[in-house]
Amino acid sequence: MSKVVCYTKQCLPEEYDESTWYFELFSIPAERHDNVGYVGNSFFKELKRSKITPSNKALDFVMIAMSVVAADKAILRRYSPDGWTRKIELEIPLQNVEEWDKVKEKLEKMLRFLSGDFWRLTFTQLPENIDVGNFKEGKDKNCVCLLSGGMDSLVGGIDLCEVGEKPLFVAQTVRGDAVHQRQYANALGEDNLCQWSCYISKHGISENTTRARSIVFFAFALMASFGVSTNKQAKKTIYVPENGFISLNIPLNILRSGSLSTKTTHPIYMKALQEIWDEMGFNVDLVLPYQYKTKGEVLLECKNQSLMKSLIMGTTSCGKYTRHGYRHCGVCIPCLVRRASFMKAHMSDETEGGYCIENLKTTTSRDVAAAALGVTQYEKHGIESLIKGELSFVNGEKRKKYAEVFERGLCEIRDLLRIGEVV
C-alpha cells in the first residue's frame, strides 16, 4: 500500500519517511525533500477575492478533495501489480474529525468507484480551526453552476440566465481554459465567477490519468454555495451541466471497461456525493439538467442560439488538449462527441485552432477504432449488447431514459463516422 500524508503548516510532520509522499495544504513548505510537495497554495487568496465565507466542514471537504487529487497524481499506476489499480493510504488533517469519521467508509467507497483504486483514509485533528475571514457581502445570486470551459457548461449557464436564474459560476483554473472561463462568465453577467486553483507541485514524474480530479471541482462548488441564496425548498442548488452520454461514459469496447473510462459525473458518483453531503448537513442539491440529453441535443435546444454560437467554438472538449499544444486532437472520444454534436445541431464546426487530426478515415486512433466497433456491434446486435451491465445501478423508467440517451449519443457518433467514411 502506497502512503500519502497531507498536512497544514499548523501541524508539520515530526519526521519524513522516505517511502511516503507528503503534501502541504494551502502553502509552500519550507522543507526541501524530494518527497515533499504542496497543493492549493493560492486558494485562500482566491477565496478572499471571492468574498465567500464557508463553514469549517465545507473547508474540510476542500482539504479532503485536494488531498485526494494530490495522492492521485503522486502514486504511479505503472508500479501497481496489474499496472493500474493502486492501494492508497491517505492521511488528511481536518477541523471536524469526529463528524467526518462517520462518513469515512462512504468516502472510501465513492473514491473506489471514481478512480478504480482502493483507498484507506485516516483523518487527523487540526490543533485549531483555520481562519478564512468573515465576509458578509451578498452576491445577489441564487444558484451555483459549474463552468469548466466546455460546451455543456457554457450552454448550462446560458440556459439558466435565459429562464431568469442568477448563477454564481465556479471554475477550476486550468491552463488553456482560464481565459475562456472568464469570457463566458462576463458574457452572462457581472461579479459572477469564483475561479479557484488546486495547483499541485511535486518532484519527479506525476500520474496523468487523474481519475479523481473532479472531486475538487465539486468541493469548489460546495464552497461557492455559501455565496448564494436558498431556493423555495430552503436549499442551495448546484447545477452540473453535463450531457448524459458523456456522464454515463459507457465503454464502446471491452478494452475501455471499468475504471479505464472516467466517471467524473456518473450517476453513481453523483448519488454517493449527494448522500455524503446530506449526512454531513450540507444544505445543497446537485442537479444535472442534461442527464437525459446528448451533446447534440444540448446545443440544438440551447435557449439562446445566437449567444451560444458566438461563444461555443472557443470551448474545450478534448481529453488531450494540453498534450497537443492547447488544440483539440480530433480523435479522442470527447472530440468525436464534440464533432458529432455540431452535425446534430446543423452547425459548421469552426473550433478554435481546428483539430490536429481532421481526417477520421486515415487515422490510427484507438478511440476512433473503438467507436467504429461500437457502432458496428450496435447495428448488428442492438444497444443492449453494448450496455450489458453498465446500467445495473438503476431500473424502471430511469434505466430506459439512460439507455435511450446512450443510444442517441452513439447514433450521433455513427453519423459522424459515416460522413468520415469510417463505417
Side-chain angles (χ1 to χ4, degrees):
M1 181 167 281
S2 303
K3 187 171 183 179
V4 177
V5 173
C6 295
Y7 60 93
T8 70
K9 61 183 179 181
Q10 298 170 290
C11 54
L12 300 176
E14 294 181 1
E15 58 182 6
Y16 295 86
D17 189 296
E18 291 183 358
S19 63
T20 299
W21 277 103
Y22 296 87
F23 288 92
E24 187 163 314
L25 295 165
F26 308 129
S27 53
I28 299 175
E31 295 77 11
R32 292 293 183 263
H33 303 300
D34 287 343
N35 60 335
V36 177
Y38 60 91
V39 54
N41 62 300
S42 64
F43 178 68
F44 284 140
K45 290 181 181 178
E46 295 165 349
L47 186 64
K48 185 177 181 179
R49 284 198 295 268
S50 298
K51 296 183 178 179
I52 287 176
T53 304
S55 69
N56 290 333
K57 284 192 294 185
L59 183 56
D60 278 348
F61 190 73
V62 169
M63 289 191 279
I64 291 171
M66 286 188 174
S67 298
V68 165
V69 295
D72 193 23
K73 289 185 73 71
I75 309 303
L76 303 182
R77 293 188 183 276
R78 69 183 71 170
Y79 297 130
S80 302
D82 64 354
W84 183 264
T85 309
R86 302 165 297 184
K87 294 181 179 180
I88 302 173
E89 182 180 354
L90 176 58
E91 186 175 304
I92 308 169
L94 298 177
Q95 302 165 102
N96 302 272
V97 169
E98 187 174 339
E99 291 185 66
W100 283 104
D101 271 337
K102 295 175 183 177
V103 297
K104 185 169 67 173
E105 289 187 9
K106 291 183 178 180
L107 280 165
E108 291 170 341
K109 185 178 179 181
M110 182 183 75
L111 293 174
R112 167 74 176 132
F113 176 81
L114 181 62
S115 75
D117 305 299
F118 294 94
W119 294 79
R120 188 168 74 192
L121 305 179
T122 301
F123 301 140
T124 60
Q125 183 67 51
L126 282 171
E128 58 185 32
N129 288 342
I130 298 173
D131 181 11
V132 295
N134 187 18
F135 302 100
K136 299 297 184 182
E137 178 182 326
K139 287 185 174 293
D140 189 32
K141 309 301 180 200
N142 63 1
C143 61
V144 174
C145 182
L146 272 60
L147 187 69
S148 64
M151 296 170 70
D152 293 353
S153 67
L154 171 61
V155 176
I158 292 173
D159 284 352
L160 285 172
C161 291
E162 287 297 310
V163 297
E165 300 290 344
K166 297 179 180 179
L168 176 60
F169 297 106
V170 60
Q172 184 177 354
T173 307
V174 179
R175 285 186 68 184
D177 285 340
V179 172
H180 282 133
Q181 290 167 352
R182 292 192 291 271
Q183 178 189 4
Y184 303 150
N186 288 337
L188 296 170
E190 298 178 352
D191 190 27
N192 62 352
L193 177 62
C194 296
Q195 193 176 39
W196 299 328
S197 172
C198 178
Y199 178 73
I200 301 171
S201 175
K202 65 174 288 292
H203 296 280
I205 301 171
S206 294
E207 176 59 44
N208 63 8
T209 55
T210 57
R211 286 292 182 264
R213 64 186 179 274
S214 72
I215 192 171
V216 168
F217 207 169
F218 289 108
F220 287 173
L222 178 62
M223 298 288 276
S225 72
F226 287 84
V228 304
S229 60
T230 57
N231 58 26
K232 292 180 180 179
Q233 290 73 42
K235 300 193 78 173
K236 311 288 185 73
T237 305
I238 296 177
Y239 288 98
V240 185
E242 180 82 285
N243 72 84
F245 182 82
I246 285 292
S247 182
L248 290 170
N249 209 8
I250 295 175
L252 299 180
N253 71 9
I254 194 170
L255 296 178
R256 300 301 298 175
S257 62
S259 59
L260 290 175
S261 289
T262 56
K263 299 177 172 67
T264 53
T265 60
H266 193 282
I268 292 178
Y269 174 45
M270 292 290 89
K271 183 174 184 289
L273 184 59
Q274 182 71 70
E275 288 177 353
I276 290 168
W277 282 3
D278 288 347
E279 192 164 338
M280 290 301 298
F282 295 126
N283 195 33
V284 166
D285 280 332
L286 289 164
V287 177
L288 280 75
Y290 305 138
Q291 62 182 332
Y292 301 127
K293 291 185 180 182
T294 68
K295 189 179 284 287
E297 291 163 354
V298 170
L299 290 184
L300 195 60
E301 298 169 21
C302 178
K303 298 181 186 302
N304 187 329
Q305 289 286 313
S306 61
L307 180 58
M308 179 271 287
K309 290 176 180 178
S310 72
L311 298 170
I312 201 71
M313 297 305 167
T315 58
T316 303
S317 302
C318 185
K320 304 171 184 176
Y321 190 65
T322 57
R323 299 184 217 174
H324 292 281
Y326 304 103
R327 286 183 68 199
H328 288 76
C329 73
V331 293
C332 67
I333 294 297
C335 275
L336 295 179
V337 173
R338 177 190 181 91
R339 297 173 72 167
S341 71
F342 285 127
M343 285 183 53
K344 173 69 176 179
H346 313 295
M347 293 173 60
S348 176
D349 187 350
E350 299 175 4
T351 293
E352 284 185 10
Y355 298 102
C356 295
I357 299 174
E358 295 277 357
N359 191 334
L360 297 179
K361 185 178 181 180
T362 59
T363 181
T364 58
S365 164
R366 292 182 179 180
D367 282 351
V368 173
L373 286 171
V375 167
T376 300
Q377 183 173 336
Y378 162 62
E379 292 183 331
K380 286 184 176 180
H381 304 292
I383 199 65
E384 289 295 336
S385 68
L386 286 170
I387 292 174
K388 297 179 180 176
E390 294 290 332
L391 296 180
S392 59
F393 64 91
V394 69
N395 53 35
E397 185 63 23
K398 281 191 174 182
R399 188 193 189 283
K400 181 175 180 289
K401 288 183 177 180
Y402 282 133
E404 289 173 345
V405 76
F406 175 64
E407 183 173 13
R408 296 196 307 274
L410 183 63
C411 288
E412 289 182 13
I413 293 177
R414 177 198 61 191
D415 294 344
L416 173 71
L417 297 183
R418 282 180 176 170
I419 292 293
E421 299 180 353
V422 177
V423 295

